[in-house]
Amino acid sequence: MRVMAEKSKRTVYTEAMEIYHRAAELIGLDPRVRLELEEPDYEHIFYVTVKLRERLVPIPKDDQGKYKDLPESRVTEGLDPLADGRFIIRGKALLNGDVSARDGVIRLPGGLYQLRRAEVKRFKAYRVQHNQARGPYKGGTRYHKDVSLDLFKSLAAEMTWKTAIADIPFGGAKGGIKIDPRHYSKEELERITLRYMYRLKDLVGPTRDIPAPDVGTTPEVMGWMMRQYTDGERERHNLRGVVTGKDVRIGGSEGRVKATGQGLAYCIEEWFADRDDTVKGKSFVLQGFGNVGSNAAEILCAMGGKLLAVNDADGTIFNPAGIDPVKLVTYVYENPGNIKKSVLGFPEAQEVSKKDFWEIPADFAVPAALGGEITGEIAERLKVKMVAEGANGPTTPEADRVLQSRKIDMIPDIIGNAGGVTVSYYEWLQNLRMEHWTEAEVNARLERAIKTNYRIIRDIAQNKPRRTTTHDSRRFCVGRETDPRSAAMVLALKRIEAHYQLEGFSQ
Ligand code: NAD
């Protein structure tokens, strides 16, 4: 009975692994390999403690009466606003301002605030190392409030599939911290990151496990991680490849920032090419305007695509005449007043509800935010011909079934967003060789890699084994047609299985 109960327990991880089991059945994956891949090699959970800065916290309405007569303070510098309505207060604020305080309360133009002492805080942190049959563990670092072991397990497994599909010599991993980074100052995030890497140091390394950015982390965060790992090491320059996604000035690769969006755009271009068509004049809706979404939008619009609507964590904007992604990037990222870094309030579009967003008719949809966003119910309402997954796991298994029954085609995440890790590999190679490639060189390699593997997946899906001048799918087709997501997984599993078959198992 216990076994039955355990079997029926559905989690993010078991859902994510459904496709794995389907493809494993399809190719008759060796039972021992199947067990090896079914659970991660290692699951690390640990804690990071850090001392925060003093904060100004808005005081509750009920307590405001007794400060009616408190004069407004004049503070022109030294206050850093946070997305939760609080401020970090630095010494400059008191030195150069004209501040009146009572019981630690001050009045600012936005209201009354109480000064809070610097707190010490503990954050839960993770690193899941899923598999290393094909090479060192590899995967992003996520700073987000809704993370869990289960989620990191699915994301780490997804990296194992993705590195195999991209045919790069890495395995899969993922990690991060349960935190909303927008509620902390840059200096606090640096301290938190340093402590995270301090704890990780024994587990990672350029030939062991190589973290990269993901939701809520940036090239700057990667720079801090690299510094913490290499600090004091005698051969520290040889260790630059411990993280990828670094700033190009400190060993990052040209083209890495755009790589995931670029890879997705190559897949979309190939999808249209298969239909003797191009992206020019095709409309799309986009969820998520972060690294992946904003870069994909810029590249697709430069190819002639038309961006109709964008949904992010704070709302949705829509313009049937098209949204200019370059202007939107300026509005979101180069506007100091836009603390939440949201598309909301963009003057050249109207606000619509998230419900309406998913019903906007367009040629294709690009989910590039979080997982599980396209549910079965949303899949019923979508008015597009194709979904190109930029995010990891944006479509639930139920939604997958609905999309298939509605004949809405799919570019699955494991090839759709593989551009990021592919250029991470190029970055790692450049670090090892102490080289610096041009963006054109990076993109030429990326285009070849993505399109070659995309074509193999298409051939598996259509059961058309062939060898052309660009690719060879004969080894991978399974003797019958299948959906694109299963086809991508078949490619991953066949490439991983070869390592176990040809190298055997250490006992
Ligand atoms: P990011 O932090 O730069 O941006 C995330 C975006 O998603 C933001 O615009 C945010 O507002 C939006 N968002 C968050 N919660 C939302 C919600 N509930 N509803 C709607 N929008 C929401 O992150 P990113 O690096 O662009 O990553 C986006 C996705 O792509 C993630 O699933 C990530 O795992 C995946 N991915 C990223 C990379 C990469 O190189 N950055 C590579 C592969 C996959």
Side-chain angles (χ1 to χ4, degrees), residues 72-84:
E72 191 168 294
S73 295
R74 193 184 49 78
V75 185
T76 50
E77 52 180 343
L79 289 185
D80 299 337
L82 303 174
D84 57 3

Side-chain angles (χ1 to χ4, degrees), residues 142 144 155 159 162 174 182 213-217 256-257 259-260 287-294 311-315 333 340-343 354 367-371 373 390-393 417-418 420-421:
R142 181 173 292 198
H144 195 269
L155 295 171
M159 287 308 297
K162 204 178 298 182
K174 204 85 174 191
R182 301 179 308 172
D214 188 65
V215 176
T217 55
R256 172 62 186 89
V257 172
T260 309
Q287 185 186 44
F289 202 70
N291 172 290
V292 181
S294 64
N311 165 257
D312 73 10
D314 302 289
Y333 293 105
K340 289 190 169 179
K341 306 250 170 286
S342 171
V343 298
K354 190 164 179 175
L370 299 183
E373 283 288 313
N392 281 319
N417 64 27
V421 74

Side-chain angles (χ1 to χ4, degrees), residues 56 64 70-76 79 87 98-99 106-113:
L56 285 174
Q64 292 188 2
L70 192 66
E72 191 168 294
S73 295
R74 193 184 49 78
V75 185
T76 50
L79 289 185
F87 288 92
D98 181 3
V99 178
I106 70 170
R107 183 185 295 283
L108 293 172
L112 285 161
Y113 293 84

Side-chain angles (χ1 to χ4, degrees), residues 165 453 456-457 460 476 486-495:
I165 285 170
N453 290 304
I456 297 176
I457 293 168
I460 300 171
F476 304 108
S486 303
M489 187 61 94
V490 163
L491 176 60
L493 294 187
K494 287 207 167 200
R495 282 186 175 151

